Structure formats: C-alpha cells, structure tokens
Amino acid sequence: MVRIIASNVRKGNIIEHEDGNLYVVLSAESFFPGKGTPTTQIDMRRLSDGNKTSVRYKTTEQVERAHVEDMNFSYLYADGDGFTFMNDDNYEQVIVPQDVIGEQSAYLQEGMKCILSIFNGVAVAIQLPARVTLEVIETEPVVKGQTASSSYKPAKMDNGLRVMVPPHIGVGTRIVVLTEDNTYVERAKD
C-alpha cells in the first residue's frame, strides 16, 4: 500500500478505505472554494460486492492506494459472461464483468488495445485509449451556409452513442471522439 494525498487520486485507482475494504475510484473531483478548506469528492465502488459510495476528503488528507498491476490487453468479444480480453504478452484470456467496464463498453472495438488494472489476479478497472474513431450513422442534414463554429448538432454513432458534432459533419463521416467525456475532436484522417 502507498499513501497519497486525496487530490492525487484519479479515476481507476484502487484505494483502501477506512473500513478495510478495497474500492475502485469511479470519479475524483477537487473543489477549491474561495473561503474554507479545499476538498476532494471521490465516488467509488467496493470491489467485494459492487456497492457504490461517495466520500469527501480534505485535499491534503492521506489515503491508502492499493498496488495494482496495469497490463496491456486486447479486446476480443462480449458474451453473456462479460467482456473477453487477451493479454498481449502471454495470450492468456480474461473475462471482465459488465460492472467493471460500465458505460465504457460502448467504446470497445474488436482488437482495441486497453490497459486492465489487475489486483490479486482479478481485473478491477479498465483504461481505454483516449480517442476512438466512430462513424456517424444518423444526423441532421448539412445546411448550406451554416458555418458558425459554436453551433453543434446531435449525431448518432455506429456504437449507439450520441455525440455533438459541427454542422458540416454528415452521415457516413468517420470522426474521432474522446472516450473520457464523449466529445467530438476532429474528422478522422483515415
């Protein structure tokens, strides 16, 4: 176990809470009010049973970070048991349950390189690539002369997600999307 200050806790970290259980961090947000003590709000899920909880720490408070091993895996497929990944080094396969992947499952593409956090032989968190390329399958038609860069329109992607895109993006266009917050980056170069 390593002690770190609360403001350094990041999504995907595994921490040991005061109750002695291990939790995976779902989100960590620091608040710096004009007056008062800066705090860090940490939303986390208990590894043993999946219960979610939210804790607020002073940003300088120490928390125990569990040692997890980050390993490179390739996504293979999904079935009733969960999501199957293959270790890039020894070709071992690991099945990761839906509750570990969560909403990020929409971004998984066959052959995608991911980093799985392994704790005692069990995958407890996943890090997707920062950007993925998706295809627009449904959006409003392009309006001639509409060049305002601040106006965006909704578009449905081939993975089912909705992304706000610039007005010049039409159906069939491949775009790059940030996996962290589901935002449009640019038109794909491929």
Side-chain angles (χ1 to χ4, degrees), residues 16 29 61 96 102 137 144 150 173 185 189:
E16 184 176 348
E29 191 174 358
E61 225 176 308
V96 181
I137 60 167
K144 206 172 188 86
S150 63
T173 306
V185 178
K189 306 226 183 330

Side-chain angles (χ1 to χ4, degrees), residues 28 34 36 42-43 57 90 97 99 112-113 116 137 147-148 152 174 177 182-183 186:
I42 300 176
D43 296 327
Y57 293 101
N90 60 14
D99 63 332
M112 177 183 273
K113 303 289 185 203
L116 291 180
I137 60 167
T147 57
Y152 277 70
R174 293 177 51 80
V177 176
N182 197 32
T183 55
E186 63 186 0

